[in-house]
Amino acid sequence: MEKIFENLNQAQKEAVVQIDGSILILAGAGSGKTKTITSRVAYLIKNGIPPSSILTLTFTNKAASEMRTRAMSLLNNEVSYIPLMCTFHKFGLLFLKFHMSLLGRANSFVIIDTDDKKRILKSFDTDLTIAMVANEISRFKNNLLTPEDAMKTAELPNFKKIANLYQKYELYLAQNNLVDFDDLLALPYKILDQNPTLCRQTSEKYQYIMVDEYQDTNDLQFKLLQKLSSEHNNLCVVGDDDQSIYGWRGANIKNILDFKDQFTDTKIVKLTKNYRSTDTILKAANELIEHNRNRLGKDLQGTKEEGSDIEVLHHDDETMEARIIAKRIQKLIDMGTDPQDIALLYRINALSRSIEEGLNRAGVPYKMVGGLKFYERAEIKDLISYLRIISNPNDDFSIKRIINKPKRGLGKATIDKILQASDEHTCSIYTYLTTHTEDLESRVSKKAFITLQEFCQNVQNLQESTSESTYTLIDNLEDTFGIRAYYEALPDSMERVTNIDEFYGLFRDFVIQYPDSGLDDFLNDIALQSDQDQIDERSISIMSIHASKGLEFEHLFVIGLEEGFFPLIGDGTDIEEERRLGYVAITRAKKELTLSSSASRYYKGKRAGLSKSRFLSECGVNKGCLKIDRSTSYKKGNLVKHKIFGIGRVLEVSKVKREFKLKINFGGTTRDILASFVERI
C-alpha cells in the first residue's frame, strides 16, 4: 500500500480510495491523471477486488499500454494478470467475438478499414462524393439510426440517396460478415439493449469501470457506459472539461458537465496541482479559460517557480513571422537546447506552409506531428499536378494523378485503356490523347472520348492564357476545373479549402514579388521548399494544437493568434471550444511560452489585414486586443438584436454565475436571454 500512495497529493489520494459509487475525477492539465488512474486500479486489487471485475477504457492503445505497465509496477507483479485495460473499440471487438451470434451472425467476422468502406460504397455506382457518404453513414451509426430511420428523416433528394446507399452498405456487410469501425460500438450496444439478461450479466461481471479522457466521449459511448454500469453505478470517469476539443468529431462536452446529474450520488474530486508549467504560464491559462461559461470550474495551481514572462510577438506578415521565429529557434539550439524540447503550434494546418518555409530557409530540422507537411497534402499535390501539366503536358506522373480529379466519369477500365494505348504508341498520355484521336475513339465510350477531348482543350487554353498573364492563371485554373469546389463537397472541406486558398495566395504572392518569373520558376521554387533532406531525430516538432494534446515541451511557440485564425470564426464555430483549444495550447508549455500574431495573412486566396486575437487579452498578456468582458455593459433601455427573436429593448439586467441575464421585450413578448447571445444595436 505504501508504494501505491507514494508521491500522491491529497486530492489524488482522495480519488484513489473512493471505491464504491460514481466518481468524477476532474483532472487539470499536467495534474498527474495517469498516475491517479493506475494507483486506483492497484488500490482496488490490493483491497481484494478481483482483476477480472475491473474494466478500464481509454481512447488510444498507447494510453492503455502505459496504464497496464504502471499498474503492474505498483503491484510489484504480485498478480498473475491485470484488469482489462483497452480502448472502447477493442472492448467492443472482444464483446462481439463472444456475442455476435445474438445478431444471427458468426463470430468469424472481419473488420474493414476506411479504404475498404469507401471501395464498397464506390461499387454501388453513385454520383455522390464517396467520402461524404461514408461520413454520413458513420454519423448515422453513432446516433444509432438504422437505414430505415435514415430514410424516414431524409427530406432532400441527396439524403434520400445516402439513406438508400446506407441500406445497400449494411446489407453488403451482413452478407459478407464484415463490420466497420463504428459497428464495434454500435453493435455491442444493440446486443445489450435487445438482451436485458446479458446486459445485467455483463454489468455484474465488470463491477468497477474506469474511463480515461471522459470529456472526449460521444453520445454512443455514454449510452454504452450506462448499460455497463446499470447494475452497480461504480463508474469512475477521469477528464477535463477545459480540454474538450473534439466537438467537431462527435465528442459531447455535456457528458462530463452533466455527469453528476446522470449518475446518482456522484463524488467530484478536482486535481488542480500542476506539475508541468511555471506559475506565469498557469496564470495565463487560468485567466483565459475563466471566460468560458460552460465549465465545472477549477484553477490550476503551480508547483514550480514563477518563471519568465510570456513573450508576445507581432509581425507585419506571415513571412516575417516565420523568419523571426526560425531565428529564435535556431538561437535556442545554438545555446544547447535539445530540439526535441522545442515545439511550434498552430490552429489551422494551412499556417504550416509559411513556417515550414521559414524553418527550411534557416536550416532548422523539423518533424510534422500528427499530420502531413503542407506540400504533401492531397489537395496541394493535385494543384501542383495541374500546374505541372500546364507547364509540361507530357508529364505522365502528374496527368495520371488528376485525369479524373475532380471526377469526370472516367472509370478505372477507361484509364487503363488509355495507359495501355500510350504505351503501344510509345508516346506520352497527353500526346496520345491529342494526336491519336481515331484510335482513342475506338477504345473508349463516346462520353469518355468527349470528356478527354474537353480536358485536353482546357489544358491547351490554360497554356495560352499563361503566356499572356501568369497572375491570372490561378483564377483561370479554378474557373476551368473547379478544384476548390470539388474539395468543398468533402466532409473535411474547411481545412482542405483553407489549404487551397493558402496555395492560391502563395502563387499570387510569388508573381507579385517576382514579376519576371514564369510558371516553371514557381514550380522549381516550391520543389526546393518541399524537399527537406536534413530531418533527423534531433528535430523540433511542429503540429496543430489538436495534435499536441497530451504532449509537453520546454519551449513552445504558438503562431496565428489573430481573429479569424485563432479563434477560428464562422458558421458552426463554438467560441468556447476555441477557447479550450487556447487553454490546451498554453498548458503544453513547461518553461517558456511565445505567442505570435501577424498584421496580415493570405486569407481565402487574398491578403487580408487582421486584428490580434481576443485570447491575447483574455489570458492577460496583451491589453490592446478585442476582449470578451466578464462584466456586462448592457443597461436598462438598450436596444439589442437576437438572431432568432429580432430586435428588442432591455428591461432588466441580472447576474447568473459567470454570465449576465437580460430581460428583453421583443415586440411585446418578454424573454430572458443570456447577454452573450445578443448584440447591441
Side-chain angles (χ1 to χ4, degrees), residues 521-584:
D521 298 305
F522 173 76
L523 290 170
N524 290 336
D525 187 69
I526 61 173
L528 293 173
Q529 292 296 339
S530 58
D531 180 27
Q532 192 191 19
D533 297 325
Q534 72 269 39
I535 290 182
D536 56 30
E537 290 186 359
R538 290 178 54 80
S539 302
I540 73 159
S541 298
I542 69 173
M543 69 195 86
S544 70
I545 298 169
H546 281 100
S548 74
K549 192 163 178 289
L551 304 177
E552 56 184 42
F553 301 93
E554 295 285 334
H555 305 271
L556 187 75
F557 296 82
V558 184
I559 67 167
L561 278 150
E562 305 98 24
E563 290 291 302
F565 283 92
F566 193 24
L568 200 61
I569 297 172
D571 291 341
T573 300
D574 180 349
I575 189 62
E576 295 212 349
E577 182 158 316
E578 291 295 305
R579 199 172 279 116
R580 292 193 291 271
L581 269 171
Y583 176 84
V584 167

Coordinates of all heavy atoms in Angstrom, one line a residue, residues 521-584:
D521 N 9.4 28.7 -62.9 CA 10.2 29.2 -61.7 C 9.4 29.0 -60.4 O 10.0 28.6 -59.4 CB 10.4 30.7 -61.9 CG 11.3 31.1 -63.1 OD1 12.4 30.5 -63.2 OD2 10.8 31.9 -64.0
F522 N 8.1 29.1 -60.5 CA 7.3 28.9 -59.3 C 7.4 27.4 -58.9 O 7.6 27.1 -57.7 CB 5.9 29.3 -59.5 CG 4.9 28.9 -58.4 CD1 4.9 29.7 -57.2 CD2 4.1 27.8 -58.5 CE1 4.1 29.3 -56.2 CE2 3.2 27.5 -57.5 CZ 3.2 28.2 -56.3
L523 N 7.2 26.5 -59.9 CA 7.3 25.1 -59.6 C 8.6 24.7 -59.1 O 8.7 23.8 -58.2 CB 6.9 24.3 -60.9 CG 5.5 24.4 -61.3 CD1 5.3 23.8 -62.7 CD2 4.5 23.7 -60.3
N524 N 9.7 25.2 -59.6 CA 11.0 24.9 -59.1 C 11.2 25.4 -57.7 O 11.8 24.7 -56.9 CB 12.1 25.5 -60.0 CG 12.2 24.9 -61.4 OD1 11.8 23.7 -61.5 ND2 12.6 25.6 -62.4
D525 N 10.7 26.6 -57.4 CA 10.8 27.2 -56.1 C 10.1 26.3 -55.0 O 10.7 26.0 -54.0 CB 10.2 28.6 -56.0 CG 10.5 29.3 -54.7 OD1 11.6 29.6 -54.5 OD2 9.5 29.5 -54.0
I526 N 8.9 25.9 -55.3 CA 8.2 25.1 -54.3 C 8.8 23.6 -54.2 O 8.7 23.0 -53.2 CB 6.7 25.0 -54.5 CG1 6.3 24.4 -55.9 CG2 6.0 26.4 -54.4 CD1 4.8 24.1 -56.1
A527 N 9.4 23.2 -55.3 CA 10.0 21.9 -55.2 C 11.2 21.9 -54.3 O 11.4 20.9 -53.5 CB 10.5 21.5 -56.6
L528 N 11.9 23.0 -54.2 CA 13.0 23.2 -53.3 C 12.5 23.3 -51.9 O 13.0 22.8 -50.9 CB 13.9 24.4 -53.7 CG 14.6 24.2 -55.0 CD1 15.3 25.6 -55.3 CD2 15.7 23.1 -54.9
Q529 N 11.4 24.1 -51.7 CA 10.8 24.3 -50.4 C 10.3 23.0 -49.8 O 10.4 22.8 -48.6 CB 9.7 25.3 -50.4 CG 10.1 26.7 -50.8 CD 11.0 27.3 -49.7 OE1 11.0 26.8 -48.6 NE2 11.8 28.3 -50.1
S530 N 9.7 22.1 -50.6 CA 9.1 20.9 -50.1 C 10.1 19.8 -49.9 O 9.7 18.7 -49.4 CB 8.0 20.4 -51.0 OG 8.5 20.2 -52.3
D531 N 11.3 20.0 -50.3 CA 12.3 18.9 -50.2 C 13.2 19.2 -48.9 O 13.9 20.2 -48.9 CB 13.2 18.9 -51.4 CG 14.3 17.8 -51.3 OD1 14.1 16.9 -50.6 OD2 15.4 18.0 -51.9
Q532 N 13.0 18.4 -47.9 CA 13.8 18.6 -46.7 C 14.6 17.4 -46.3 O 14.1 16.4 -45.8 CB 12.8 18.9 -45.5 CG 13.5 19.4 -44.3 CD 12.6 19.5 -43.1 OE1 11.5 18.8 -43.1 NE2 12.9 20.2 -42.1
D533 N 15.9 17.5 -46.7 CA 16.8 16.3 -46.5 C 17.4 16.2 -45.1 O 17.9 15.1 -44.7 CB 17.9 16.4 -47.5 CG 17.4 16.3 -49.0 OD1 16.4 15.6 -49.2 OD2 18.0 17.0 -49.8
Q534 N 17.3 17.3 -44.3 CA 18.1 17.3 -43.1 C 17.3 16.8 -41.9 O 17.7 16.9 -40.8 CB 18.6 18.7 -42.8 CG 17.5 19.7 -42.3 CD 16.9 20.5 -43.5 OE1 16.7 19.9 -44.5 NE2 16.7 21.7 -43.3
I535 N 16.1 16.1 -42.1 CA 15.4 15.6 -41.0 C 16.1 14.5 -40.3 O 16.6 13.6 -40.9 CB 14.0 15.1 -41.4 CG1 13.1 16.2 -41.9 CG2 13.3 14.3 -40.3 CD1 11.7 15.8 -42.3
D536 N 16.2 14.6 -39.0 CA 16.8 13.6 -38.2 C 16.1 13.5 -36.8 O 15.1 14.2 -36.7 CB 18.3 13.8 -38.0 CG 18.6 15.2 -37.4 OD1 17.8 15.7 -36.6 OD2 19.7 15.7 -37.6
E537 N 16.6 12.7 -35.9 CA 15.9 12.6 -34.6 C 16.0 13.9 -33.8 O 15.1 14.1 -33.0 CB 16.4 11.4 -33.9 CG 16.1 10.1 -34.5 CD 16.5 8.9 -33.6 OE1 17.1 9.2 -32.5 OE2 16.3 7.8 -34.0
R538 N 17.0 14.7 -34.1 CA 17.1 15.9 -33.4 C 16.4 17.1 -34.1 O 17.0 18.0 -34.6 CB 18.6 16.3 -33.2 CG 19.3 15.3 -32.2 CD 20.8 15.6 -32.1 NE 21.0 17.0 -31.8 CZ 21.0 17.5 -30.5 NH1 20.6 16.7 -29.6 NH2 21.2 18.8 -30.3
S539 N 15.1 16.9 -34.2 CA 14.3 17.9 -34.9 C 13.3 18.5 -33.9 O 12.9 17.9 -32.9 CB 13.5 17.2 -36.0 OG 14.3 16.5 -36.9
I540 N 12.9 19.8 -34.2 CA 11.9 20.4 -33.4 C 10.5 19.8 -33.9 O 10.5 19.2 -35.0 CB 11.8 21.9 -33.5 CG1 11.4 22.4 -34.9 CG2 13.2 22.5 -33.2 CD1 10.9 23.8 -35.0
S541 N 9.5 20.0 -33.2 CA 8.2 19.5 -33.6 C 7.3 20.6 -34.0 O 7.2 21.6 -33.3 CB 7.5 18.7 -32.5 OG 8.3 17.6 -32.1
I542 N 6.6 20.5 -35.1 CA 5.5 21.4 -35.5 C 4.2 20.7 -35.7 O 4.3 19.5 -36.2 CB 5.9 22.3 -36.7 CG1 5.9 21.5 -38.0 CG2 7.2 23.0 -36.6 CD1 6.1 22.3 -39.3
M543 N 3.1 21.2 -35.2 CA 1.9 20.5 -35.3 C 0.7 21.4 -35.0 O 0.8 22.5 -34.5 CB 1.9 19.4 -34.2 CG 1.9 19.9 -32.8 SD 2.3 18.6 -31.6 CE 4.1 18.8 -31.6
S544 N -0.5 20.9 -35.3 CA -1.7 21.6 -34.9 C -1.9 21.4 -33.4 O -1.4 20.5 -32.8 CB -2.9 21.0 -35.6 OG -3.2 19.7 -35.1
I545 N -2.7 22.3 -32.8 CA -3.0 22.3 -31.4 C -3.7 21.0 -31.1 O -3.4 20.4 -30.0 CB -3.8 23.5 -31.0 CG1 -3.0 24.8 -31.2 CG2 -4.2 23.4 -29.5 CD1 -3.8 26.1 -31.0
H546 N -4.6 20.5 -31.9 CA -5.3 19.2 -31.7 C -4.3 18.1 -31.5 O -4.4 17.2 -30.7 CB -6.2 18.9 -32.8 CG -7.5 19.7 -32.8 ND1 -7.8 20.8 -33.5 CD2 -8.6 19.5 -32.0 CE1 -9.0 21.3 -33.3 NE2 -9.5 20.5 -32.4
A547 N -3.2 18.1 -32.4 CA -2.2 17.0 -32.3 C -1.3 17.1 -31.1 O -0.7 16.1 -30.7 CB -1.4 17.1 -33.6
S548 N -1.3 18.3 -30.4 CA -0.4 18.5 -29.3 C -1.0 18.0 -28.0 O -0.2 17.9 -27.0 CB -0.1 20.0 -29.2 OG -1.2 20.7 -28.6
K549 N -2.2 17.6 -28.0 CA -2.9 17.2 -26.7 C -2.2 16.0 -26.1 O -1.9 15.0 -26.8 CB -4.4 16.9 -26.9 CG -5.1 16.8 -25.6 CD -6.6 16.9 -25.9 CE -7.4 16.7 -24.6 NZ -7.4 15.4 -24.1
G550 N -1.8 16.1 -24.8 CA -1.1 15.0 -24.2 C 0.4 15.2 -24.2 O 1.1 14.4 -23.6
L551 N 0.9 16.2 -25.0 CA 2.4 16.4 -25.1 C 2.8 17.6 -24.3 O 2.0 18.4 -23.8 CB 2.8 16.6 -26.5 CG 2.3 15.5 -27.5 CD1 2.7 15.9 -28.9 CD2 3.0 14.2 -27.1
E552 N 4.1 17.7 -24.0 CA 4.6 18.9 -23.3 C 6.0 19.2 -23.8 O 6.7 18.3 -24.2 CB 4.6 18.6 -21.8 CG 5.4 17.4 -21.4 CD 5.3 17.1 -19.9 OE1 4.2 17.2 -19.4 OE2 6.3 16.7 -19.3
F553 N 6.4 20.5 -23.7 CA 7.7 21.0 -24.3 C 8.2 22.1 -23.4 O 7.5 22.9 -22.9 CB 7.5 21.5 -25.7 CG 6.9 20.5 -26.7 CD1 5.6 20.4 -26.9 CD2 7.8 19.6 -27.3 CE1 5.0 19.4 -27.7 CE2 7.3 18.6 -28.1 CZ 5.9 18.5 -28.4
E554 N 9.5 22.1 -23.3 CA 10.2 23.2 -22.5 C 10.0 24.5 -23.1 O 9.7 25.5 -22.4 CB 11.7 22.9 -22.4 CG 12.1 21.6 -21.7 CD 12.0 21.8 -20.2 OE1 12.1 22.9 -19.7 OE2 11.7 20.8 -19.5
H555 N 10.1 24.6 -24.5 CA 10.0 25.9 -25.2 C 8.9 25.8 -26.2 O 9.0 24.9 -27.1 CB 11.3 26.3 -25.9 CG 12.5 26.3 -24.9 ND1 12.8 27.4 -24.2 CD2 13.3 25.3 -24.5 CE1 13.9 27.2 -23.4 NE2 14.2 25.9 -23.6
L556 N 7.9 26.6 -26.2 CA 6.7 26.5 -27.0 C 6.4 27.8 -27.7 O 6.4 28.9 -27.1 CB 5.5 26.1 -26.2 CG 4.3 25.7 -27.0 CD1 4.4 24.4 -27.7 CD2 3.0 25.7 -26.2
F557 N 6.2 27.7 -29.1 CA 5.8 28.8 -29.9 C 4.4 28.6 -30.4 O 4.1 27.5 -31.0 CB 6.7 29.1 -31.0 CG 8.1 29.4 -30.6 CD1 9.0 28.4 -30.2 CD2 8.5 30.8 -30.6 CE1 10.3 28.8 -29.9 CE2 9.8 31.1 -30.3 CZ 10.7 30.1 -29.9
V558 N 3.4 29.5 -30.2 CA 2.1 29.4 -30.8 C 1.9 30.5 -31.8 O 2.0 31.7 -31.4 CB 1.0 29.4 -29.7 CG1 -0.4 29.2 -30.4 CG2 1.3 28.4 -28.6
I559 N 1.6 30.2 -33.1 CA 1.5 31.2 -34.1 C 0.0 31.4 -34.5 O -0.8 30.6 -34.2 CB 2.4 30.9 -35.3 CG1 1.8 29.7 -36.1 CG2 3.8 30.7 -34.9 CD1 2.4 29.5 -37.4
G560 N -0.2 32.5 -35.2 CA -1.5 32.7 -35.8 C -2.6 33.2 -34.9 O -3.8 32.9 -35.1
L561 N -2.2 33.9 -33.8 CA -3.2 34.4 -32.9 C -3.8 35.7 -33.4 O -3.5 36.8 -32.9 CB -2.5 34.6 -31.5 CG -2.3 33.3 -30.7 CD1 -1.1 33.4 -29.8 CD2 -3.6 33.1 -29.9
E562 N -4.7 35.5 -34.4 CA -5.5 36.6 -34.9 C -6.9 36.2 -35.0 O -7.3 35.0 -35.1 CB -5.0 37.0 -36.3 CG -3.5 37.3 -36.5 CD -2.7 36.1 -37.0 OE1 -3.3 35.2 -37.6 OE2 -1.5 36.1 -36.7
E563 N -7.8 37.2 -34.9 CA -9.3 36.9 -35.1 C -9.5 36.3 -36.5 O -9.1 36.9 -37.5 CB -10.0 38.2 -34.9 CG -10.1 38.8 -33.5 CD -10.9 37.9 -32.6 OE1 -12.1 37.7 -32.8 OE2 -10.3 37.5 -31.6
G564 N -10.2 35.2 -36.5 CA -10.5 34.5 -37.7 C -9.6 33.3 -38.0 O -9.9 32.4 -38.7
F565 N -8.4 33.3 -37.3 CA -7.5 32.2 -37.4 C -7.4 31.5 -36.1 O -7.5 30.2 -36.1 CB -6.1 32.7 -37.9 CG -6.0 33.0 -39.3 CD1 -6.2 34.2 -39.8 CD2 -5.7 32.0 -40.2 CE1 -6.1 34.5 -41.1 CE2 -5.6 32.2 -41.6 CZ -5.8 33.5 -42.1
F566 N -7.3 32.2 -35.0 CA -7.4 31.6 -33.7 C -7.8 32.7 -32.7 O -6.9 33.5 -32.3 CB -6.0 31.0 -33.3 CG -6.0 30.1 -32.1 CD1 -7.2 29.5 -31.7 CD2 -4.9 29.9 -31.3 CE1 -7.2 28.7 -30.6 CE2 -4.9 29.1 -30.2 CZ -6.1 28.5 -29.8
P567 N -9.1 32.8 -32.4 CA -10.1 31.8 -32.6 C -10.5 31.8 -34.1 O -10.6 32.8 -34.8 CB -11.3 32.2 -31.8 CG -11.1 33.7 -31.6 CD -9.6 33.9 -31.6
L568 N -10.9 30.6 -34.6 CA -11.5 30.4 -35.9 C -12.9 30.9 -35.7 O -13.6 30.6 -34.8 CB -11.5 28.9 -36.2 CG -11.7 28.5 -37.7 CD1 -10.5 29.1 -38.5 CD2 -11.7 27.0 -37.8
I569 N -13.4 31.7 -36.7 CA -14.7 32.3 -36.6 C -15.5 32.0 -37.9 O -14.9 32.2 -39.0 CB -14.6 33.9 -36.4 CG1 -13.9 34.1 -35.0 CG2 -16.0 34.5 -36.4 CD1 -13.6 35.6 -34.8
G570 N -16.7 31.6 -37.7 CA -17.5 31.3 -38.9 C -18.7 30.5 -38.5 O -19.0 30.2 -37.3
D571 N -19.5 30.1 -39.5 CA -20.7 29.3 -39.2 C -20.4 28.0 -38.5 O -19.5 27.3 -39.0 CB -21.5 29.0 -40.5 CG -22.1 30.2 -41.1 OD1 -22.2 31.2 -40.3 OD2 -22.4 30.2 -42.3
G572 N -21.0 27.7 -37.4 CA -20.8 26.5 -36.7 C -19.6 26.5 -35.7 O -19.4 25.5 -35.0
T573 N -18.9 27.6 -35.7 CA -17.8 27.7 -34.7 C -18.3 27.8 -33.3 O -19.2 28.6 -33.0 CB -16.9 28.9 -35.1 OG1 -16.4 28.8 -36.4 CG2 -15.7 29.0 -34.1
D574 N -17.7 27.1 -32.4 CA -18.0 27.2 -31.0 C -16.9 27.9 -30.3 O -15.8 27.4 -30.1 CB -18.1 25.7 -30.4 CG -18.5 25.7 -28.9 OD1 -18.4 26.8 -28.3 OD2 -18.8 24.6 -28.4
I575 N -17.1 29.2 -29.9 CA -16.1 30.0 -29.4 C -15.5 29.4 -28.1 O -14.4 29.6 -27.8 CB -16.6 31.5 -29.1 CG1 -15.4 32.4 -28.8 CG2 -17.7 31.5 -28.1 CD1 -14.4 32.6 -29.8
E576 N -16.4 28.7 -27.3 CA -15.9 28.1 -26.1 C -14.9 27.0 -26.4 O -13.9 26.8 -25.6 CB -17.1 27.7 -25.2 CG -17.9 28.9 -24.7 CD -18.5 28.6 -23.3 OE1 -18.4 27.5 -22.8 OE2 -19.0 29.6 -22.7
E577 N -15.2 26.2 -27.4 CA -14.3 25.2 -27.8 C -13.0 25.8 -28.3 O -11.9 25.2 -28.1 CB -14.9 24.2 -28.8 CG -13.9 23.1 -29.2 CD -14.6 21.8 -29.7 OE1 -15.7 21.4 -29.2 OE2 -14.1 21.3 -30.7
E578 N -13.1 26.9 -29.0 CA -11.9 27.6 -29.5 C -11.0 28.0 -28.3 O -9.8 27.9 -28.3 CB -12.2 28.8 -30.3 CG -12.8 28.5 -31.7 CD -11.9 27.8 -32.6 OE1 -10.8 28.3 -32.8 OE2 -12.2 26.7 -33.1
R579 N -11.7 28.5 -27.2 CA -11.0 29.0 -26.0 C -10.4 27.8 -25.3 O -9.3 27.9 -24.8 CB -12.0 29.7 -25.1 CG -11.3 30.6 -24.1 CD -12.3 31.4 -23.3 NE -12.7 32.6 -24.1 CZ -13.9 32.9 -24.6 NH1 -14.9 32.0 -24.3 NH2 -14.1 34.0 -25.2
R580 N -11.1 26.6 -25.3 CA -10.5 25.4 -24.7 C -9.2 25.0 -25.5 O -8.2 24.5 -24.9 CB -11.5 24.3 -24.7 CG -12.6 24.5 -23.7 CD -13.5 23.3 -23.4 NE -14.2 22.8 -24.6 CZ -15.5 23.2 -24.8 NH1 -16.1 24.1 -24.1 NH2 -16.1 22.7 -25.9
L581 N -9.2 25.2 -26.8 CA -8.0 24.9 -27.6 C -6.9 25.8 -27.2 O -5.7 25.4 -27.1 CB -8.3 25.1 -29.1 CG -8.8 23.9 -29.9 CD1 -9.3 24.4 -31.3 CD2 -7.7 22.9 -30.0
G582 N -7.2 27.1 -26.9 CA -6.2 28.0 -26.4 C -5.6 27.6 -25.1 O -4.4 27.7 -24.9
Y583 N -6.5 27.1 -24.2 CA -6.1 26.6 -22.9 C -5.1 25.4 -23.1 O -4.1 25.3 -22.4 CB -7.3 26.2 -22.1 CG -7.1 25.6 -20.8 CD1 -6.9 26.3 -19.7 CD2 -7.2 24.2 -20.6 CE1 -6.7 25.8 -18.4 CE2 -7.0 23.6 -19.4 CZ -6.8 24.4 -18.3 OH -6.6 23.8 -17.1
V584 N -5.5 24.5 -24.0 CA -4.7 23.3 -24.3 C -3.3 23.7 -24.8 O -2.3 23.2 -24.4 CB -5.3 22.3 -25.3 CG1 -4.4 21.3 -25.8 CG2 -6.5 21.6 -24.6

